Amino acid sequence: MGRIAALEQPPETLKRGPLARIRQLRKTSKPVLLAGTILFLVLLSTFFPGVLSPHDPNEIHPELALSPPSLDFIMGTDEFGRDIFSRIIFGTRVAIVISWASVGLAFVIGIPLGLISGLYGGLADGLTMRVMDAVLAFPSLIFTILIVAALGASPFSIIVSIGFLFTPRFARLVRGSVLVLKDVEFVVASRACGAGSSRIMFRTILPNTMAPILVQITLGMALAISIEAGLSYLGLGIQPPTATWGTMLRDAQRYLYLAPWYTLAPGVMIFVVILVLNFFGDRLRDALDPRLKRV
Amino acid sequence: MGLFIVRRLSATVVVLIFVSIFVFVAMRLAPGDPAMLMLGADAAGYVIGGAGETAYQKSLYEEKLEELRREMGLDRPIYIQYLFWIRGILGGNLGHSVRNELPVLPIILGRLPATLELLVLAVIMAMIVAVPAGILAAVKHRSMIDYAVGTFAAAGFAIPVFWLGLLLILIFGVRLGWFPVSGYVPLWESPVENLKRAFLPSLTLGLYLMAYFVRFLRADMLEVLQQDYIRTATAKGLTQSQLILGHALKNSLISLLTIIGIVVGGLLSGSVIIEQVFGWSGLGWLLVQSIFQRDYPMVQGIVLLAAFGFTMVNLLVDISYGLLNPRIRAQFSM
């Protein structure tokens, strides 16, 4: 067993590659520090929304409805007099949990599919890939709308719809890497030493495809947040009174004339979070792809 | 090249079959079967939840339901139902709206021009800005212009389209009052009014597209400018504008074709939301309305048509890219 493990270690050059380059990211610059701080705050409000929010997000103050930003309500109040800032903080949890869960679902379905079709080829491969093509044949939001219409508007169906939507990304990515790696020496060596299919799949090949998958996870989360906000804005997402960024924007549009600040706050939040995730995704991709560095 | 087209076509047919299965299954998973929806949600609600229901009324409803199910073929195995459905589609029958029992297809096609108008205007607006901006950023690599363009593109990627739409309404509609912010007027009824109302929604979509185009053009131009044939052209003594417009841009615009596929998908998704923001009664607007009204045949029709259109665009893009790019052409010339 020890010998298999030793042989499975990818050659020095490959091993040095992606991970070492990720580590270089730690030589941080100002933008990275800023984006990191925002990400930290986002995670903080995901896990401990009570720490940051000054009010109860569902507490109603009818006499204060649609009041402009003040010291007590720093982003103003909505049509029921609820604190917009607190609702945004609590909305973070919904956005992050949904994006995590849906990307996680895509990961869990997509990776095995990609491994199997890459390694075995033939009918399994052809069939899987055509199904993946079919998912990609839908414009993304329309695909999620179809699934949500079928399953009814709930957090569960949003997660399923975005999860299915992202599955082809992971499956294709893994399949592509498997096709390349399948005949590389260290995999052949591992097979020659008697490693079984599942060991080859999960212990030998998969770790070497993790780098691009990491990029896909980061960018996927950003996209998931924007899709969830879009669905909620259309009224097909999370239902009131739960605070989400999309539903807040939906409500805000009705008071565009009376309370323009209401529209600004949730939008800025979506924008900043997606910007930060895209930023890290792009940095990661550039770090992993040396070809892009020169440009 | 013939072989390439045949292969691509047959793959498309297979994909479309899977697409139709998805749509069929999804709509069957939706609550209430087509017969129940046909009889109306009120009738079902009366039987299921009504307080004063009598056994007679209930049996009357169920009898009607059974009859309708038989009529619609819902008592047959599911794959037979699917085949019937497909046969209908191939004959141009996408089903009837649950709301008013009119055929779905003419209604959908009636809304198509409104959506297409937005998409065309968005592409035009995006190209007008993106082509010069992309070229400038690439030529003045690592200059202030380059960084400004890069920042703009990154922001364009992250900004949610519906929020951008709301911001534009806030600025141009509410504050400045330059444009009406909501509603659709057909182009043939009042071209001026139509364009005034189309401006903000297509600008919203256009800004999103610009981000894509600019980023792509910049990266592609940078790569093209390092190619040998560009150096040759420089050595030949061409002026910079001849070089860029005549040699580099031509190449980059052909590469731009490859992302058209992604962009069209994004545009179709974006237009669903944007039509809602601006009350623009196109296809996306109809789709969302139909979901709220549980008009599943309509939903089915729109989703199928969108997927079909998107797939066809991708097919055309692939084929025309093959025709325009000699390297791809060569791979398949046997």
Side-chain angles (χ1 to χ4, degrees):
Chain A
M1 224 42 193
R3 219 173 51 192
I4 297 181
L7 277 169
E8 269 169 2
Q9 294 303 313
E12 274 305 288
T13 46
L14 259 180
K15 191 182 167 190
R16 277 266 173 84
L19 284 178
R21 267 180 255 129
I22 290 178
R23 263 181 233 121
Q24 284 174 1
L25 277 185
R26 280 194 307 191
K27 291 175 199 160
T28 43
S29 59
K30 270 178 206 153
V32 176
L33 217 59
L34 180 66
T37 313
I38 295 174
L39 200 61
F40 171 74
L41 287 176
V42 166
L43 290 178
L44 190 67
S45 41
T46 305
F47 292 108
F48 310 104
V51 173
L52 291 177
S53 72
H55 296 272
D56 179 340
N58 292 321
E59 197 181 72
I60 294 174
H61 302 279
E63 72 284 2
L64 292 173
L66 296 177
S67 49
S70 61
L71 275 180
D72 197 17
F73 300 99
I74 54 173
M75 288 179 182
T77 60
D78 68 4
E79 71 272 31
F80 297 112
R82 296 176 295 197
D83 180 31
I84 292 179
F85 180 64
S86 300
R87 288 182 71 73
I88 282 180
I89 298 289
F90 275 84
T92 314
R93 171 181 272 178
V94 178
I96 297 295
V97 167
I98 288 207
S99 69
W100 250 123
S102 47
V103 172
L105 182 67
F107 183 90
V108 169
I109 307 174
I111 300 247
L113 281 181
L115 284 173
I116 289 170
S117 44
L119 272 182
Y120 294 110
L123 188 65
D125 180 32
L127 205 62
T128 315
M129 284 304 127
R130 290 298 83 73
V131 173
M132 297 295 111
D133 287 348
V135 174
L136 294 171
F138 293 93
S140 51
L141 189 74
I142 293 181
F143 180 81
T144 53
I145 287 180
L146 178 73
I147 305 271
V148 169
L151 301 179
S154 72
F156 169 77
S157 53
I158 296 176
I159 292 169
V160 169
S161 67
I162 303 178
F164 283 178
L165 178 69
F166 287 173
T167 302
R169 296 164 169 246
F170 289 102
R172 283 185 157 189
L173 197 68
V174 172
R175 177 177 174 271
S177 312
V178 170
L179 288 181
V180 173
L181 285 175
K182 177 152 95 163
D183 301 320
V184 174
E185 282 89 343
F186 72 91
V187 177
V188 177
S190 162
R191 183 170 293 147
C193 287
S197 312
S198 69
R199 188 182 173 91
I200 294 203
M201 266 194 240
F202 290 105
R203 300 293 297 274
T204 317
I205 291 184
L206 195 56
N208 287 292
T209 64
M210 280 325 262
I213 289 176
L214 214 59
V215 176
Q216 205 48 250
I217 288 177
T218 320
L219 297 177
M221 279 189 67
L223 193 55
I225 288 178
S226 100
I227 291 178
E228 186 272 317
L231 286 174
S232 295
Y233 172 79
L234 291 176
L236 299 170
I238 314 269
Q239 301 299 313
T242 310
T244 74
W245 300 336
T247 40
M248 287 177 78
L249 276 177
R250 178 184 172 81
D251 295 336
Q253 187 172 6
R254 275 183 280 148
Y255 304 101
L256 209 52
Y257 291 80
L258 284 171
W261 59 86
Y262 190 1
T263 314
L264 291 179
V268 168
M269 199 64 197
I270 303 176
F271 175 60
V272 167
V273 171
I274 293 178
L275 197 63
V276 165
L277 285 172
N278 279 346
F279 173 78
F280 278 117
D282 287 346
R283 292 284 296 219
L284 218 52
R285 180 165 51 197
D286 293 352
L288 296 169
D289 189 350
R291 275 179 310 153
L292 288 173
K293 251 191 199 152
R294 266 177 280 129
V295 177
Chain B
M1 196 57 211
L3 184 70
F4 172 69
I5 293 178
V6 168
R7 248 204 240 163
R8 198 61 191 71
L9 264 178
S10 52
T12 303
V13 171
V14 176
V15 164
L16 283 177
I17 291 174
F18 277 113
V19 164
S20 70
I21 294 177
F22 273 1
V23 175
F24 182 77
V25 171
M27 288 295 97
R28 277 311 157 84
L29 283 175
D33 75 8
M36 255 159 103
L37 290 169
M38 202 79 154
L39 279 183
D42 302 338
Y46 176 73
V47 170
I48 294 161
E53 79 185 58
T54 63
Y56 172 68
Q57 279 167 322
K58 191 172 175 178
S59 71
L60 204 68
Y61 172 77
E62 276 179 358
E63 209 170 276
K64 241 165 112 188
L65 196 64
E66 271 314 303
E67 197 187 301
L68 197 59
R69 278 193 181 136
R70 249 196 316 280
E71 214 172 278
M72 295 170 81
L74 293 176
D75 52 344
R76 306 205 189 183
I78 189 91
Y79 61 92
I80 300 279
Q81 292 181 35
Y82 170 75
L83 291 177
F84 267 112
W85 181 66
I86 287 291
R87 198 177 65 180
I89 291 175
L90 293 179
N93 174 16
L94 281 174
H96 295 263
S97 163
V98 169
R99 242 181 332 142
N100 46 22
E101 307 205 355
L102 291 171
V104 163
L105 190 61
I107 301 179
I108 295 176
L109 292 181
R111 297 297 178 96
L112 195 58
T115 299
L116 284 184
E117 184 189 349
L118 283 194
L119 302 193
V120 170
L121 285 177
V123 171
I124 294 173
M125 286 186 192
M127 288 298 255
I128 289 176
V129 179
V131 172
I135 294 175
L136 262 178
V139 174
K140 310 239 179 245
H141 188 37
R142 289 181 203 281
S143 68
M144 280 314 281
I145 298 176
D146 187 16
Y147 289 126
V149 167
T151 311
F152 166 78
F157 271 107
I159 204 160
V161 273
F162 50 105
W163 187 54
L164 187 61
L166 290 177
L167 285 185
L168 291 179
I169 290 181
L170 205 57
I171 298 169
F172 293 106
V174 179
R175 281 291 134 96
L176 299 173
W178 289 355
F179 298 98
V181 295
S182 175
Y184 168 70
V185 176
L187 187 61
W188 49 89
E189 267 177 28
S190 165
V192 177
E193 192 61 20
N194 167 282
L195 289 176
K196 253 164 102 182
R197 282 163 195 268
F199 183 76
L200 287 183
S202 40
L203 178 66
T204 317
L205 283 174
L207 283 169
Y208 153 84
L209 262 192
M210 269 173 221
Y212 257 102
F213 284 168
V214 159
R215 184 182 266 206
F216 180 85
L217 270 178
R218 174 184 172 275
D220 197 76
M221 278 290 239
L222 279 177
E223 215 177 300
V224 168
L225 288 177
Q226 290 175 353
Q227 305 263 317
D228 292 340
Y229 80 93
I230 294 291
R231 197 179 315 139
T232 312
T234 320
K236 220 165 66 178
L238 291 186
T239 63
Q240 198 174 19
S241 62
Q242 275 174 325
L243 188 74
I244 305 268
L245 298 178
H247 292 250
L249 184 63
K250 208 170 96 190
N251 205 324
S252 287
L253 284 182
I254 291 180
S255 323
L256 194 64
L257 261 182
T258 52
I259 63 159
I260 291 278
I262 307 169
V263 159
V264 168
L267 270 182
L268 286 172
S269 295
S271 70
V272 173
I273 293 186
I274 283 306
E275 288 178 9
Q276 207 67 22
V277 174
F278 289 91
W280 186 263
S281 48
L283 271 186
W285 190 81
L286 183 64
L287 175 65
V288 176
Q289 294 301 311
S290 307
I291 287 178
F292 285 129
Q293 291 164 342
R294 294 181 172 262
D295 193 348
Y296 292 126
M298 191 70 90
V299 174
Q300 212 168 32
I302 298 171
V303 171
L304 258 186
L305 208 72
F308 179 76
F310 185 32
T311 310
M312 284 302 135
V313 168
N314 273 318
L315 178 71
L316 285 180
V317 164
D318 274 11
I319 291 177
S320 52
Y321 188 67
L323 289 174
L324 288 171
N325 189 333
R327 267 166 299 178
I328 304 246
R329 202 162 54 211
Q331 273 174 28
F332 288 92
S333 61
M334 298 201 307

